Amino acid sequence: MWSPDERYRLALEKKQLQRTMPQFEFFNPARDTYVEGPVTPTAGSEVYRLRLLLTPNYPHEKPFLIVASPQVLWKHGNLSTINSLGASHEFHTASKHPSGCVAICFMSGWDARMTMIAIFMRGMLWIEAYAAHLRTGESIAKFIDKQKERIQNAN
């Protein structure tokens, strides 16, 4: 399934990921490849599992980043779910994934130079923003915008 160049890229990324984020593991390396691992927000105890689904043309095609577990993500107040939203700027979600899991919109365009580490970093930020949303009701977009502003002000 993977071309020699793609296998080389995957091997490099796997090595980087094992060194930097060892909690993420590769599954099904020959077909339907995905990378998955646990994430616990700093202000929380629930463990979320992020799963990066690699498309057959990765890295030339944008992969899917989903929250594999828990499969249902409630909004603040538990009146509705993020799963029901589909693509949402307010919650930084992409179109509904066929699995029913929440698909995280980690960037608007795709650049093949982006690595799995960068994608998982954005996914971890999303989990932090989701945990903050559950506590405060503030949108995920607002939380992420505040983090961007803090970074810009620090420079």
Side-chain angles (χ1 to χ4, degrees):
M1 173 174 151
W2 300 105
S3 74
D5 287 344
E6 291 166 340
R7 283 196 302 271
Y8 180 73
R9 165 77 183 255
L10 287 174
L12 282 176
E13 289 211 52
K14 183 177 183 180
K15 188 175 182 178
Q16 290 175 333
L17 206 56
Q18 287 172 335
R19 193 176 13 185
T20 311
M21 300 175 162
Q23 74 270 31
F24 291 99
E25 297 179 57
F26 275 72
F27 295 90
N28 303 332
R31 176 179 214 119
D32 299 326
T33 306
Y34 66 96
V35 183
E36 181 175 315
V39 175
T40 304
T42 52
S45 59
E46 179 146 20
V47 177
Y48 298 87
R49 291 198 68 80
L50 288 178
R51 182 179 295 166
L52 185 65
L53 303 165
L54 302 181
T55 56
N57 294 318
Y58 179 82
H60 309 292
E61 187 177 82
K62 184 178 180 180
F64 294 96
L65 181 62
I66 64 172
V67 181
S69 173
Q71 193 165 17
V72 176
L73 299 179
W74 290 94
K75 288 171 142 184
H76 177 75
N78 294 335
L79 298 176
S80 62
T81 66
I82 293 179
N83 305 63
S84 64
L85 295 176
S88 167
H89 173 71
E90 182 181 13
F91 285 91
H92 279 251
T93 55
S95 296
K96 290 183 182 181
H97 190 267
S99 67
C101 295
V102 169
I104 297 171
C105 182
F106 56 89
M107 66 183 303
S108 56
W110 175 246
D111 185 334
R113 294 174 294 179
M114 187 171 207
T115 66
M116 290 180 203
I117 291 172
I119 296 168
F120 280 124
M121 291 294 291
R122 291 176 185 212
M124 293 164 77
L125 175 61
W126 191 94
I127 295 294
E128 290 291 338
Y130 176 64
H133 165 73
L134 290 177
R135 287 190 313 277
T136 67
E138 184 175 83
S139 77
I140 288 173
K142 193 170 192 175
F143 179 89
I144 290 173
D145 287 345
K146 284 181 182 178
Q147 297 307 312
K148 286 179 184 176
E149 188 176 311
R150 285 184 185 142
I151 290 167
Q152 288 171 349
N153 290 338
N155 293 330

